Amino acid sequence: MKKNNPEKSNKRRLRGLVVSDKMIKTRVVEIMSLKKHKRYLKYFKVTKRFKAHDEENLYKKGDKVLIEETRPLSKEKRWKIIGKI
């Protein structure tokens, strides 16, 4: 049998910036990545926003955080905040 190693999980982890802390126990985290245009081969920025669970309401707007994929916690919330970067 395999033992569960918390350091080596197959859940996705992303780095982002907290852009909203108005909800209770929920933060909106914005992820920015670069994407290459197929035809012109130029890079452009793509941003995506995720709602992430924050149990103690520790993280505030402007914090750089690490989020991890988790089971669905609500209609739109499928991520939880692991810690600050």
Side-chain angles (χ1 to χ4, degrees):
M1 288 182 117
K2 289 184 179 179
K3 288 187 176 180
N4 290 338
N5 187 353
E7 294 174 4
K8 190 171 184 177
S9 66
N10 46 350
K11 295 179 180 179
R12 291 193 310 165
R13 285 188 173 186
L14 301 172
R15 291 183 210 179
L17 184 72
V18 177
V19 292
S20 174
D21 59 357
K22 294 179 181 178
M23 293 174 274
I24 300 168
K25 296 187 180 182
T26 303
R27 302 290 176 255
V28 178
V29 179
E30 191 173 66
I31 307 297
M32 197 275 299
S33 61
L34 291 175
K35 197 171 182 180
K36 193 175 189 179
H37 194 281
K38 286 183 181 179
R39 183 170 186 177
Y40 300 114
L41 305 176
K42 189 173 180 177
Y43 287 96
F44 58 96
K45 291 180 185 177
V46 178
T47 58
K48 188 153 182 163
R49 290 178 169 211
F50 296 102
K51 288 188 174 74
H53 187 67
D54 177 17
E55 186 66 38
E56 286 89 32
N57 295 314
L58 295 175
Y59 305 99
K60 301 297 175 195
K61 190 175 180 180
D63 290 347
K64 290 184 181 180
V65 294
L66 184 68
I67 59 173
E68 183 180 61
E69 199 173 27
T70 186
R71 64 182 176 81
L73 299 169
S74 69
K75 181 181 173 185
E76 297 179 333
K77 199 164 37 166
R78 274 110 177 97
W79 297 83
K80 64 179 177 181
I81 298 178
I82 300 298
K84 250 186 192 180
I85 297 176

